[in-house]
Amino acid sequence: FLHYSLSIALPPLSYLVAQVRPLHGSGCGQQQEAVGMEMRPETFSIFRTQENDPDCQSEQHQGQYYTVPPSHFHTVFPHGLPPRYQQQVKTFNEGCVMVRQPALELISHLKRADYSKPTLRYLLYGVKGSGKTMSLCHTVHYCSTQGWLVLHIPDAHLWVKNCKELLPSSYHASRFDQPIQASNWLRNFRTTNENFLSKIKLRQRYVWTKRESTEEGQPLGELVDMGVSRVKSSSDVVGAVLKELRLQAGGTEGGFRLAVAVDGVNGLWGRTTLKKEDKSPVAPEELTLVHNLRKMINNDWCGGAVIATLSQTGSLYAPSSAYLPQELLGEEGFDSMDPFIPVPVSLYSEKEFESCYLYYLDRHWLQHPHSQTEEGKKELIFLSNRNPSVLERLCAFL
Amino acid sequence: MAASLTGLLKPWTPRVLLVRWSRYNPYYLEPEPRKEVYHIPETELTPEQKEERELKSVRPIKAATNSVTSSVFNDPVLSKFVNMMMKDGDKIIAKGIITQTLENMKRKQVEKYHKAPEGKKAEIECNPYAIFHQALENCKPVIGLASIQKGGKFYQVPIPLTDNRRRFLAMKWMITECRDNKHRRTLMYEKLSQELLAAFSKEGNVVKRKHELHKMAESNRAYAHYRWW
């Protein structure tokens, strides 16, 4: 009897998607797509959803693609997206992200968290290519649309390897600065958070050299501009920016919420490939950028959230089969991150795979005549094991 | 014949077997990679097929080479191209270059497709395999030249070419063109995709070389009767 009543209670999917849902005060259901690169006719499709606001997405949209409005693209994601995805956006002339369960879980946690308590740390983990970075970017898009200040570090591994210039820090004798990486990051930070730069005022005076200093009460934008132009002290500027944001995030007057999104957080603990002049290895804590970022990840401040991703791809001295937090973070990293909320990211489910396949067909990406048949689809499932990145690479040449 | 046959069918097989040699004993049968053959139910087999199956259950079968697949995406022309591009037996690198080339071509065409107005969309060919095959067709010479000696001198005589020879020449010209005439910093797949797209629209150096061969053959028409086959 119960089964019978359940089966008639579920309306068909088309009805759910087309319905206007006035659940929130912001009127999510009435939002139209921005007239961006293409005007698409409003036909129903099983793999696309018209709900482009991450705030209003829920489990019913799972497996469907939503379009990131082109105006948001360059401001929200100057540096966070995986390189193959950036190529895909350029080819398809639109940026579509799949709504998946890990991202929805994260967003629901962010909606219900108490921001007067110390920050919660969320850690996305999963096998290689399962979609951790994309889930992180989805969450960053949500935070951006909600008006949070987003501190997105695209890959922490870039700061612990392949550094051409290592300057000894002026502020602390035993630390090392990385001017190029720091100034690049500051430039992208400036693009992401334009509107916050004039609103946040500094609470402390910073002295850079005998003649240069930034006074109290100046807007944050000036500090960032200084860091971009004076490349030598850019690492210290990064440290100052992080400190200011940490102090002011939970503030009651003019308070904003701070989202720290770090990709490849396991690079902050462990080993680096950088060497000092006497060929001895540099430990990560001897780098200014890493030192300051570690302070940011501690949960001794309130008014925001730390969302991190593990990554084996760029990691140093980690076996390629390792994907669990314990293996990749190591003892030191795990103790610093503990307690955290783990969010596992799995491979595509059958519904998600269908959705991805239909999306590629729609965008004319699957061109081989056999790939459009059932046989070809079964072969794709077999070859990729429903791994998102492997499927993407397979479909690239088919 | 009996000696070689019974020699290989010993109950004890030696440690080093003639697996990769092409000089198999003729007793060995070819492997069958296609899936459809095995899906025919017992009832629908013709008498010849039944006989063949019975034969296969008693005869030994050659080992299948690495290039043989039952995949639906298997393309014999493309495999031949990969083998021709391979250096020092490194098929992984050659196959990687070809997949990158196909991806690159598809990306360029799909980008053009999405940016084109509605009327022009149907003309843009997005399938990299179709482009590859058409480009190769456009590069195949119709007539070739052979060096024939007559009265102490060598003459370039126009001769008909077999299909295999034409395909080989087209692929060879494509690969040598991409290896020689590119900038030091251009990668192979980039240059190859440019050449294939140009050949698809009948431009580029490879079709030029084909046209030059045709012109030479045309100019040497007088010597055509030196050919005796």
Side-chain angles (χ1 to χ4, degrees), chain B residues 83-164:
Chain B
N83 286 339
M84 284 189 65
M85 189 171 277
M86 176 166 63
K87 275 186 181 178
D88 297 330
D90 212 334
K91 199 177 293 217
I92 302 174
I93 297 185
K95 186 96 178 94
I97 294 174
I98 300 293
T99 47
Q100 282 171 333
T101 311
L102 293 169
E103 187 191 331
N104 201 319
M105 283 201 294
K106 190 160 65 150
R107 244 179 236 285
K108 287 186 193 164
Q109 293 295 99
V110 170
E111 216 179 310
K112 246 195 326 189
Y113 180 91
H114 285 306
K115 291 201 172 116
E118 284 302 325
K120 299 275 168 67
K121 281 197 184 193
E123 295 160 0
I124 301 176
E125 174 65 60
C126 291
N127 186 353
Y129 296 85
I131 297 176
F132 175 78
H133 286 121
Q134 186 58 44
L136 222 55
E137 277 301 316
N138 292 349
C139 293
K140 282 186 190 173
V142 173
I143 194 167
L145 290 174
S147 191
I148 294 184
Q149 189 187 21
K150 189 104 177 174
K153 267 173 65 177
F154 286 90
Y155 297 95
Q156 294 293 319
V157 176
I159 53 160
L161 297 169
T162 59
D163 265 332
N164 277 344

Side-chain angles (χ1 to χ4, degrees), chain A residues 233-255:
Chain A
S233 46
S234 49
S235 318
D236 295 322
V237 167
V238 170
V241 162
L242 292 181
K243 185 166 156 192
E244 284 294 320
L245 292 173
R246 216 174 32 239
L247 289 174
Q248 298 191 20
T252 40
E253 42 6 274

